[in-house]
């Protein structure tokens, strides 16, 4: 797609995110839904309300939540192979979806507890998104019935946000970025949220995409 001039066509852009159990076109199999004006989740409710979004805790009160930790478990001094950790992550995500979770949160707040090592959230969300492509008994992929959010200290900039959104995340909590702006620095947190949301729009405009929900895997990797 040709690029879009964000400044002249700003009214065309939508960073809305819909989380929860989305119904089929015939209205069947739907559940509780929540719409956010931006997919970025701050840490305080006041900032969230100002930008039409929520905190992760507020999302938990609206949707049925299952938390899945991003981790490579370490036990008896024998580290778990990354491939095995990803297999386990996919199984946990799929089982949570089968149990009816409307929102699955991949997080890393306790990743180092008991000597665990982290899985890169980009790899984790890609595997989780793939796991949910399995067809549910209702005849639709679990991905339509379940939303994915990422709460990670590894989200350090706009690039990380866009990569995660492109790999399947519906909402993001860059908690370490916001953690420095709590308490008396709420104004700084609001500026950060505004800057990230504006950055999302600018990346979308470069790709010729006007709605965040149309943003997908428009990138590739050569070598790792």
């Amino acid at each position: 797609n040709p690029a879009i001039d964000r400044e002249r066509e700003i009214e065309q852009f939508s960073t809305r995110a819909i989380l929860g159990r989305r119904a089929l076109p015939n209205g069947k199999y739907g559940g509780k839904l929540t719409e956010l004006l931006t997919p970025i989740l701050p840490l305080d409710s006041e900032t969230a309300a100002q930008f039409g979004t929520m905190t992760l805790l507020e999302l938990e009160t609206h949707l049925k939540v299952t938390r899945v930790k991003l981790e490579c478990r370490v036990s008896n001094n024998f580290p778990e192979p990354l491939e095995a950790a990803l297999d386990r992550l996919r199984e946990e995500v799929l089982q949570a979806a089968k149990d009816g979770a409307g929102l699955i949160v991949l997080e890393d707040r306790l990743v180092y507890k008991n000597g665990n090592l982290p899985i890169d959230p980009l790899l984790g969300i890609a595997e989780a998104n793939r796991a949910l492509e399995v067809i549910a008994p209702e005849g639709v992929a679990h991905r339509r019935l379940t939303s994915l959010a990422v709460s990670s200290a590894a989200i350090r900039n706009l690039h990380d946000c866009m990569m995660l959104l492109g790999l399947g995340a519906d909402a993001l909590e860059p908690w370490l970025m916001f953690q420095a702006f709590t308490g008396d620095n709420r104004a700084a947190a609001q500026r950060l949220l505004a800057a990230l949301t504006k950055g999302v729009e600018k990346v979308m405009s470069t790709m010729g995409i006007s709605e965040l929900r149309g943003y997908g895997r428009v990138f590739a990797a050569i070598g790792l």
Side-chain angles (χ1 to χ4, degrees):
N1 297 335
I4 302 172
D5 188 324
R6 178 189 172 276
E7 303 305 323
R8 289 190 301 170
E9 302 181 79
I10 185 62
E11 69 277 2
Q12 305 296 331
F13 287 91
S14 171
T15 58
R16 292 173 183 262
I18 297 177
L19 287 84
R21 193 177 180 90
R22 290 172 292 170
L24 296 177
N26 60 12
K28 291 184 177 181
Y29 311 120
K32 189 69 177 293
L33 290 174
T34 297
E35 185 178 49
L36 308 177
L37 297 186
T38 174
I40 311 299
L41 310 177
L43 297 182
D44 70 282
S45 299
E46 184 176 321
T47 298
Q50 180 177 338
F51 287 85
T53 184
M54 296 182 181
T55 66
L56 186 55
L57 182 59
E58 289 171 336
L59 270 180
E60 292 174 359
T61 65
H62 283 75
L63 302 172
K64 185 176 180 180
V65 168
T66 297
R67 288 178 175 269
V68 181
K69 299 176 184 177
L70 287 174
E71 62 181 13
C72 290
R73 294 175 183 164
V74 178
S75 61
N76 299 323
N77 297 321
F78 291 101
E80 180 182 30
L82 179 59
E83 292 82 358
L86 292 174
D87 288 342
R88 172 175 48 77
L89 180 64
R90 284 193 299 269
E91 292 175 1
E92 292 176 352
V93 167
L94 182 57
Q95 186 59 53
K98 289 180 178 179
D99 291 340
L103 174 67
I104 298 175
V105 182
L106 306 184
E107 63 177 351
D108 62 6
R109 283 180 179 268
L110 301 177
V111 70
Y112 294 105
K113 186 178 181 180
N114 299 324
N116 295 327
L117 299 174
I119 297 174
D120 188 293
L122 294 172
L123 186 57
I125 194 65
E127 292 297 319
N129 191 60
R130 183 180 302 171
L132 294 177
E133 293 174 357
V134 174
I135 302 299
E138 293 85 353
V140 61
H142 281 289
R143 188 64 184 86
R144 186 176 180 87
L145 305 177
T146 307
S147 295
L148 291 170
V150 178
S151 173
S152 175
I155 307 175
R156 299 158 294 181
N157 49 45
L158 176 64
H159 178 267
D160 292 338
C161 291
M162 297 310 297
M163 290 287 287
L164 287 164
L165 292 170
L167 287 170
D170 297 299
L172 307 172
E173 184 193 49
W175 61 267
L176 191 57
M177 292 177 69
F178 280 105
Q179 190 166 277
F181 302 130
T182 55
D184 296 335
N185 288 325
R186 182 171 290 121
Q190 294 171 353
R191 290 195 296 271
L192 172 60
L193 182 52
L196 288 175
T197 301
K198 183 176 181 179
V200 170
E201 293 177 349
K202 288 197 170 186
V203 174
M204 289 163 52
S205 70
T206 302
M207 296 293 103
I209 298 170
S210 60
E211 293 207 14
L212 181 61
R213 281 176 286 169
Y215 184 82
R217 297 188 183 186
V218 292
F219 48 83
I222 302 177
L224 286 175

